[in-house]
Amino acid sequence: MSRVLRIGNASGFYGDRFDAVREMLTGGAEGGGLDVLTGDYLAELTMLILGRDLLKDPSAGYAKTFLRQMEEGLGLAHERGVRIVANAGGLNPAGLADALRALAGRLGVPARIAHVEGDRLPARDGVLAANAYLGGAGIAACLDAGADVVVTGRVTDAALVTGPAQWFFGWRPEDPGGYDRLAGAVVAGHVLECGTQATGGNYAFFTGHDPKLLRRPGFPLAELHEDGSAVITKHPGTGGVVDTGTVTAQLLYETGGARYAGPDVTARLDTVRLAQEGPDRVRISGVRGEAPPPTLKAGLCRLGGFRNELVFVLTGLDVEAKAELVRDQVEDALARGPKPRPAQVRWELARTDRADAATEETASALLRLVVRDPDPEAVGRTLSGAAIELALASYPGFHVTAPPGKGAPYGVFETAYVPVGEVPHTAVLPDGTRLAVPAPQERRALAPVPEPPLPEPPPSGPTRRGPLGLVAGARSGDKGGDANVGVWVRDDRAWRWLAHTLTVDLFRQLLPETKELPVERHVLPGLRALNFTVTGLLGEGVASQARFDPQAKGLGEWLRSRHVDLPEELL
């Protein structure tokens, strides 16, 4: 009987459910325990936050929440024989490893601590943090050396699974079928990385499940097999739900085309097959892999300048005219101010008001002003003066949601690519030995996958106008300044319709914000899904807060709310 690696996740971001570590370590006590527990703490915005922490304190730069979680989790993991792997080291994995050793000493837990480094790139002008995304081989080397806890800096989210898998099964990329096995682990890791998004969190069809189940979803785990296949599940008795829909949604999250590239392997998402194996059990199989690309992705975080915002409340009648008046007044005041007009000025009117409303709040619309400039005075004192002087001189009912404040710094995230040989991937073993981690020798440049043949179009029939979301689910997210929207359906009849109906042109019509931007459509027949990538929608990334929804979290739900002609047979 083949061995199975049971690997769970207890964090999808810095600030996720604090008790999840304990829940995952104790939830499988009745014969269903874990071999490895992972935690993902590093989003793009987190790297900027940690960079600012490090400027203030050279011993900081890691996720302090993880260290507090280990005050209880370290002993529990040791008792149960569970290895812990987390990227909580952020910009200072060595510092976190030292803090963990000190904690283990205080607790009397004989935990062997290791860490992975080498992801930090040489300093660049104006860059607060520059990190390459490493793969899982360094983690595997630390586990091979007997580490009980491995903390890393910037690795790919999936490396938290590929590393333990390489250690547990002894996989090597050059072995026959090696890339396919690694690709299976990448897909399993991508499902686990965002925690409860795989168990019913943020799920488009949530109304189809018992609300009590979704009140507190349990965290996911994967039963990874030696051939690279996996079963996604959760601990018995925990909340949430695992079905092919929740797994599909997470597979589409923050991805692009059929080739999902990483430092260990390029996984072919167009080969993924899902099957409901039982209650809260979804099998992933058939994943094919290819040699990784010759470069590593890197994230560059820098301070972009200063921003400020002000929200005007427009109540009752003549909302458009009120908005026009106050816009003209503020623009005139900014032009006459002591500083030049801010480099970027953006106005957005949200018509949240209703006619003949029963409350003042529901009778009001919101006019949002966002300004950016390299000079804090231009977005602080200048904007404050322009707004305050209008308090008694503007539209009837003038007020704002909060008084104007000082300008706050904002960050910019940029993506770069560096040759693999320029990044010194290093495993620092429990005894302090520094081990250079070799990269896979075979490399394959990325190329688009030709669009696969579409299914036969459905026969024509009666249609009814209604929201796309009556038929299709969606999940959206961010990658730097770009956004993706994955759209999927639940049966073959709906897939025949979706594949031929939701073209790039219709996508742009439904989401007018994307009309002038590059949009690509990627077809994933095995998931009955289309994945759209929109270049530049999010400006300079989440930290710059360029739009109302800076991480495109709601973009998919906006798309689902738009009305199209739906075949009546699908309703």
Side-chain angles (χ1 to χ4, degrees):
M1 187 173 180
S2 65
R3 294 189 300 159
V4 175
L5 170 62
R6 286 177 58 86
I7 184 165
N9 171 279
S11 176
F13 65 97
Y14 190 10
D16 208 345
R17 188 189 306 169
F18 187 86
D19 293 338
V21 168
R22 177 177 51 79
E23 292 170 6
M24 291 300 289
L25 288 173
T26 61
E30 297 178 3
L34 300 174
D35 298 299
V36 177
L37 180 63
T38 67
D40 179 11
Y41 293 79
L42 301 184
E44 293 168 358
L45 181 60
T46 309
M47 300 302 283
L48 182 68
I49 294 169
L50 295 178
R52 293 177 64 183
D53 287 349
L54 197 61
L55 284 178
K56 299 174 186 175
D57 179 2
S59 68
Y62 55 80
K64 297 175 183 177
T65 302
F66 175 76
L67 189 60
R68 296 204 309 272
Q69 288 172 310
M70 288 300 100
E71 291 178 5
E72 179 183 26
L74 205 59
L76 287 172
H78 180 72
E79 291 170 9
R80 289 161 172 75
V82 180
R83 311 290 180 107
I84 294 176
V85 178
N87 61 12
L91 299 177
N92 189 8
L96 177 56
D98 288 341
L100 285 168
R101 291 187 190 96
L103 175 63
R106 291 197 303 272
L107 297 176
V109 178
R112 294 161 293 184
I113 313 297
H115 73 275
V116 177
E117 59 183 41
D119 58 295
R120 293 193 70 180
L121 301 177
R124 307 184 183 197
D125 289 343
V127 175
L128 195 58
N131 300 78
Y133 289 75
L134 301 179
I139 295 170
C142 291
L143 294 172
D144 278 335
D148 300 301
V149 180
V150 182
V151 292
T152 76
R154 175 52 96 186
V155 296
T156 64
D157 300 336
L160 301 176
V161 171
T162 63
Q166 291 175 76
W167 157 71
F168 191 83
F169 295 115
W171 290 343
R172 297 293 180 268
E174 60 272 14
D175 293 340
Y179 285 128
D180 292 343
R181 297 187 186 99
L182 280 170
V186 164
V187 170
H190 183 57
V191 174
L192 295 188
E193 71 184 54
C194 288
T196 52
Q197 279 196 170
T199 58
N202 300 349
Y203 181 51
F205 295 120
F206 75 99
T207 57
H209 297 288
D210 183 349
K212 294 179 182 178
L213 281 178
L214 300 180
R215 189 173 298 158
R216 189 179 172 85
F219 277 69
L221 64 92
E223 298 171 353
L224 190 60
H225 293 260
E226 197 158 6
D227 64 357
S229 65
V231 172
I232 306 298
T233 183
K234 61 187 184 67
H235 282 320
T238 58
V241 61
V242 180
D243 64 19
T244 54
T246 66
V247 173
T248 297
Q250 178 55 26
L251 279 174
L252 295 172
Y253 182 61
E254 295 182 345
T255 59
R259 284 192 165 101
Y260 186 61
D264 295 307
V265 64
T266 294
R268 289 289 297 263
L269 298 182
D270 55 342
T271 64
V272 176
R273 296 295 181 268
L274 304 179
Q276 194 77 40
E277 188 179 77
D280 293 319
R281 293 181 63 83
V282 172
R283 179 169 292 279
I284 301 174
S285 63
V287 186
R288 302 298 299 273
E290 300 169 347
T295 57
L296 295 179
K297 178 182 174 182
L300 311 181
C301 297
R302 61 179 174 82
L303 293 178
F306 296 84
R307 72 181 296 280
N308 206 348
E309 71 174 76
L310 196 59
V311 179
F312 300 89
V313 183
L314 314 174
T315 305
L317 305 177
D318 304 319
V319 166
E320 298 285 346
K322 289 172 179 174
E324 183 178 0
L325 173 60
V326 75
R327 274 197 300 261
D328 288 346
Q329 290 177 312
V330 170
E331 291 284 2
D332 179 67
L334 290 176
R336 292 183 291 101
K339 294 280 186 178
R341 182 179 185 271
Q344 297 179 40
V345 179
R346 177 168 177 165
W347 295 90
E348 289 181 286
L349 176 60
R351 293 300 302 265
T352 53
D353 55 304
R354 303 177 200 166
D356 195 22
T359 66
E360 182 177 341
E361 185 170 0
T362 56
S364 301
L366 301 176
L367 178 63
R368 182 171 177 249
L369 167 63
V370 178
V371 295
R372 291 184 178 80
D373 197 272
D375 183 355
E377 290 289 322
V379 301
R381 184 177 302 175
T382 300
L383 179 64
S384 297
I388 290 171
E389 70 180 30
L390 294 177
L392 304 179
S394 190
Y395 61 85
F398 178 98
H399 66 288
V400 295
T401 57
K406 296 180 179 179
Y410 71 89
V412 171
F413 179 86
E414 298 173 356
T415 297
Y417 293 88
V418 295
V420 172
E422 294 183 7
V423 179
H425 192 171
T426 305
V428 183
L429 308 182
D431 64 0
T433 300
R434 300 179 63 83
L435 181 66
V437 179
Q441 293 303 302
E442 186 182 358
R443 294 284 158 180
R444 177 173 178 170
L446 287 177
V449 175
E451 184 171 293
L454 297 180
E456 287 294 319
S460 59
T463 62
R464 188 188 314 165
R465 196 77 176 166
L468 175 64
L470 292 178
V471 172
R475 168 77 52 82
S476 56
D478 65 312
K479 280 296 180 187
D482 304 335
N484 92 290
V485 185
V487 185
W488 82 95
V489 289
R490 295 175 285 187
D491 60 50
D492 290 335
R493 289 187 311 157
W495 171 237
R496 292 170 65 191
W497 172 80
L498 182 74
H500 289 276
T501 302
L502 191 53
T503 62
V504 168
D505 286 343
L506 180 57
F507 181 90
R508 284 195 170 112
Q509 291 175 34
L510 297 176
L511 303 185
E513 283 188 55
T514 71
K515 195 170 184 179
E516 304 300 325
L517 298 173
V519 177
E520 291 186 48
R521 185 180 100 147
H522 309 281
V523 181
L524 302 171
L527 300 176
R528 301 192 192 97
L530 304 172
N531 198 15
F532 294 87
T533 55
V534 185
T535 302
L537 180 69
L538 307 178
E540 295 175 302
V542 55
S544 71
Q545 299 182 39
R547 66 189 296 274
F548 170 69
D549 175 16
Q551 290 180 283
K553 298 291 190 182
L555 193 63
E557 287 302 294
W558 178 26
L559 179 66
R560 293 182 71 233
S561 74
R562 297 307 310 268
H563 285 217
V564 296
D565 293 325
L566 300 167
E568 288 192 354
E569 68 163 353
L570 300 182
L571 300 175

